C-alpha cells in the first residue's frame, strides 16, 4: 500500500501512462526473498484483472455476464505463500518449457542436457524445472494504449538456468481490450540454441462455482497426443473420433472424464495435448458456463487441456474460498509436450538471431 502511494506521488508510473489504480501494491515477499507486487488492469468493457509480478500470475479475473454481474473466474491467493504451499503454476507465465520433457533430459546439437526431474511422479521436467519462470519476480510496466490497458513483463533467463543453454530475454505482454479480450503476446531471443515453449497457466471456472464438470467445452482438434503412464506423448497423434477426447462439438466436461479409456486414465482425467486443426491465428476452443463463455484464439499448434485432476480439496485460496479437485481447468496454448525428444514434432528450438513470437487471446462473452 505504501508503495502504491509513493509511486503515484513520484509520478514514475503515471509518467509511463498508468493511472494510480494500476500502480504497484505490495504483495509480500516470495520464498526466494523477492518483493512481489499487485497491479489491477480494468478494461472498458468490464473485464478486470489483478495480476502480480511474481511469475506474472493472474490472481483475480472478474468477468461480467449480460447483467453486468462480475464473477472472479480464477484461482488466486492472498500472498505468495499460497502458491508456494500448493501448486506454484496457478495463473503463472511458464518457461522455458511448458509441460513435460521426459526423463528431464534432451540432446541438442550433439550435446546432452540434464534437467531436474521436478515432476518426480512422472520422471519428467515440468514447466521449466525446480524454479521455473513462475518462480521469479518479473520487471513490470503497466501501460495504456488507446482504449486498451495492459502490462509488459520481462526478464532475462541466464545461460544454464535450470540446465537449459543460452541467455533468453523474454517479454510477455498482457492487454485487456474494451471487447473483454485478454491478449497475451510472448517474445523471446537467445544467444545459444535452446528449446523455448512459453505458455500461461491460468485456470478458469466460468461460473465461479466449485466444479467445472457441469460446464461445456469445445476444442477444434481432430487429433490428440496419446501418452504413457508418465504423461509423455508416445507414437503419432491419434484420431479423437470415437474417443472421450472428441470435443469437436460442445461436450459437458464431466460426461466422459472418468471413461475407462487407458490413455485418459493416465491423467487421471483430461491432462493431454490436443493437436489443433488449422493454422495461423484462429479460434481453437470455447468454454461455456451458465451465463459466461470464453473463446480461445491462438497461433499455436497445441492445447493442453488440464482438468485440475491434481487440485486438492484441502488447499485454501484467496478470501477463504474453497478449492476442489476439478474445480478449475487450464487451457494452455503451446507446442507439444516433450518436443525436445521428438524430432518428428514441429521444433521448439530457438536459434540466435531468431525471435520467438506467439499470441493467444482469451475472449470473454455473455450467454
Ligand atoms: C500439467 C499437469 C500438471 C499441471 C500443474 C499441467 O500443465 O499437464 O499434469 O499437474 O500443469 O499445475
Amino acid at each position: 500500500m505504501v508503495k502504491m502511494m509513493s509511486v503515484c506521488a513520484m509520478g514514475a508510473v503515471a509518467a509511463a501512462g498508468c493511472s494510480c489504480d494500476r500502480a504497484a501494491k505490495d504483495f509480500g515477499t516470495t520464498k526466494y526473498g523477492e518483493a512481489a507486487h499487485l497491479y489491477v488492469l480494468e478494461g472498458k468493457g468490464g473485464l478486470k484483472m489483478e495480476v502480480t509480478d511474481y511469475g506474472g500470475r493472474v490472481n483475480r479475473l472478474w468477468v461480467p455476464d449480460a447483467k453486468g454481474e462480475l464473477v472472479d473466474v480464477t484461482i488466486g491467493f492472498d500472498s505468495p505463500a499460497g502458491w508456494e504451499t500448493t501448486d506454484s503454476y496457478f495463473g503463472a507465465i511458464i518457461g522455458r518449457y511448458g509441460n513435460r520433457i521426459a526423463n528431464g533430459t534432451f540432446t541438442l546439437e550433439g550435446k546432452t542436457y540434464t534437467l531436474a526431474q521436478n515432476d518426480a511422479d512422472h520422471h519428467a521436467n515440468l514447466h521449466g524445472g525446480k524454479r521455473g519462470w513462475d518462480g521469479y519476480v518479473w520487471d513490470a510496466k503497466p501501460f495504456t494504449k488507446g482504449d486498451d490497458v495492459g502490462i509488459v513483463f520481462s526478464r532475462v533467463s541466464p545461460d544454464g538456468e535450470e540446465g537449459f543453454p543460452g541467455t533468453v530475454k523474454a517479454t510477455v505482454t498482457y492487454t485487456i481490450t474494451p471487447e473483454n479480450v485478454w491478449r497475451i503476446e510472448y517474445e523471446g531471443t537467445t544467444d545459444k540454441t535452446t528449446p523455448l515453449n512459453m505458455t500461461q497457466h491460468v485456470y478458469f471456472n466460468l461460473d465461479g462455482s466449485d466444479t467445472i464438470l457441469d460446464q461445456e467445452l469445445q476444442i477444434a482438434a481432430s487429433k490428440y497426443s496419446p501418452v504413457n503412464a508418465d504423461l509423455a506423448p508416445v507414437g503419432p497423434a491419434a484420431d479423437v473420433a470415437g474417443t472421450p477426447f472428441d470435443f469437436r462439438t460442445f461436450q459437458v466436461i464431466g460426461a466422459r472424464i472418468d471413461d475407462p479409456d487407458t490413455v485418459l486414465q493416465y491423467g487421471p482425467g483430461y491432462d493431454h495435448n490436443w493437436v489443433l486443426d488449422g493454422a495461423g491465428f484462429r479460434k481453437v476452443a470455447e468454454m461455456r458456463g451458465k451465463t459466461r463463455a470464453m473463446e480461445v484464439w491462438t497461433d499455436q499448434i497445441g492445447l493442453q487441456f488440464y482438468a485440475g485432476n491434481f487440485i486438492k480439496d484441502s488447499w485454501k485460496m484467496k478470501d477463504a474460498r474453497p478449492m476442489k479437485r476439478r474445480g478449475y481447468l487450464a487451457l494452455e496454448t503451446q507446442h507439444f509436450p516433450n518436443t525436445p525428444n521428438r524430432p518428428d514434432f514441429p521444433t521448439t528450438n530457438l536459434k540466435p538471431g531468431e525471435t520467438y513470437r506467439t499470441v493467444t487471446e482469451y475472449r470473454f462473452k455473455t450467454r
Side-chain angles (χ1 to χ4, degrees):
M1 191 53 89
V2 172
K3 179 153 184 179
M4 176 171 81
M5 303 303 287
S6 63
V7 166
C8 286
M10 289 186 312
V13 174
C18 152
S19 62
C20 278
D21 62 348
R22 282 184 294 123
K25 275 199 240 176
D26 288 346
F27 193 43
T29 305
T30 75
K31 69 174 180 185
Y32 304 102
E34 293 180 311
H37 308 95
L38 284 175
Y39 301 81
V40 175
L41 308 177
E42 190 160 4
K44 292 196 166 165
L47 182 65
K48 188 172 165 183
M49 173 185 290
E50 183 186 75
V51 58
T52 167
D53 49 9
Y54 182 26
R57 290 181 171 85
V58 176
N59 194 40
R60 289 182 161 84
L61 189 62
W62 291 280
V63 177
D65 68 6
K67 293 181 187 145
E69 193 189 317
L70 290 176
V71 157
D72 177 9
V73 299
T74 200
I75 295 173
F77 297 92
D78 295 322
S79 73
W83 289 275
E84 293 163 357
T85 52
T86 58
D87 180 331
S88 72
Y89 307 113
F90 290 128
I93 296 170
I94 304 295
R96 287 188 197 187
Y97 200 90
N99 213 271
R100 294 182 172 82
I101 298 179
N103 302 309
T105 181
F106 65 93
T107 301
L108 178 62
E109 297 176 341
K111 196 171 164 197
T112 298
Y113 293 88
T114 305
L115 314 169
Q117 292 190 17
N118 60 314
D119 183 27
D121 290 350
H122 299 109
H123 310 102
N125 180 273
L126 177 66
H127 297 327
K130 280 191 175 155
R131 187 178 181 187
W133 290 4
D134 58 289
Y136 291 85
V137 170
W138 291 53
D139 182 60
K141 286 196 175 48
F143 67 87
T144 299
K145 198 171 166 193
D147 286 337
D148 295 345
V149 291
I151 190 161
V152 182
F153 290 113
S154 50
R155 85 169 284 264
V156 177
S157 166
D159 188 10
E161 185 178 69
E162 287 291 328
F164 287 97
T167 305
V168 173
K169 292 184 182 160
T171 301
V172 182
T173 304
Y174 297 170
T175 304
I176 305 280
T177 78
E179 295 80 28
N180 293 339
V181 173
W182 169 25
R183 181 180 310 126
I184 310 168
E185 292 162 285
Y186 304 84
E187 262 191 43
T189 57
T190 185
D191 58 2
K192 283 183 195 162
T193 306
T194 182
L196 184 61
N197 189 30
M198 297 165 72
T199 190
Q200 223 295 344
H201 213 313
V202 64
Y203 284 73
F204 300 102
N205 176 325
L206 293 181
D207 295 334
S209 67
D210 63 4
T211 183
I212 45 136
L213 296 180
D214 59 354
Q215 295 175 38
E216 290 177 314
L217 184 64
Q218 181 254 330
I219 304 175
S222 319
K223 292 188 182 288
Y224 75 107
S225 305
V227 291
N228 60 20
D230 281 337
L231 294 180
V234 284
D239 290 335
V240 296
T243 77
F245 296 95
D246 191 350
F247 280 88
R248 288 173 297 175
T249 55
F250 277 98
Q251 302 290 326
V252 175
I253 293 165
R256 301 165 302 171
I257 197 168
D258 289 320
D259 188 282
D261 180 288
T262 308
V263 173
L264 182 62
Q265 282 302 319
Y266 286 141
Y270 298 112
D271 191 358
H272 299 78
N273 173 62
W274 271 255
V275 177
L276 298 168
D277 291 341
F281 188 69
R282 67 230 185 269
K283 181 183 164 186
V284 298
E286 182 166 343
M287 180 182 180
R288 284 182 180 161
K290 290 189 177 66
T291 59
R292 295 169 189 78
M294 179 188 78
E295 298 179 0
V296 184
W297 289 63
T298 188
D299 54 12
Q300 277 287 7
I301 58 171
L303 181 77
Q304 184 82 12
F305 161 32
Y306 169 56
N309 308 301
F310 299 124
I311 295 177
K312 294 197 170 47
D313 294 357
S314 57
W315 289 348
K316 298 271 179 292
M317 70 157 133
K318 61 196 170 191
D319 310 328
R321 267 167 55 184
M323 234 199 304
K324 289 242 159 57
R325 178 170 191 249
R326 298 177 175 168
Y328 289 79
L329 62 72
L331 297 168
E332 304 148 71
T333 54
Q334 57 197 10
H335 269 47
F336 307 157
N338 200 28
T339 297
N341 291 304
R342 292 291 301 258
D344 53 326
F345 288 174
T347 187
T348 47
N349 290 341
L350 181 72
K351 298 194 172 109
E354 297 175 345
T355 301
Y356 171 101
R357 272 196 194 94
T358 175
V359 185
T360 290
E361 288 183 358
Y362 296 104
R363 299 184 177 183
F364 296 93
K365 45 188 198 178
T366 61
R367 61 185 301 240

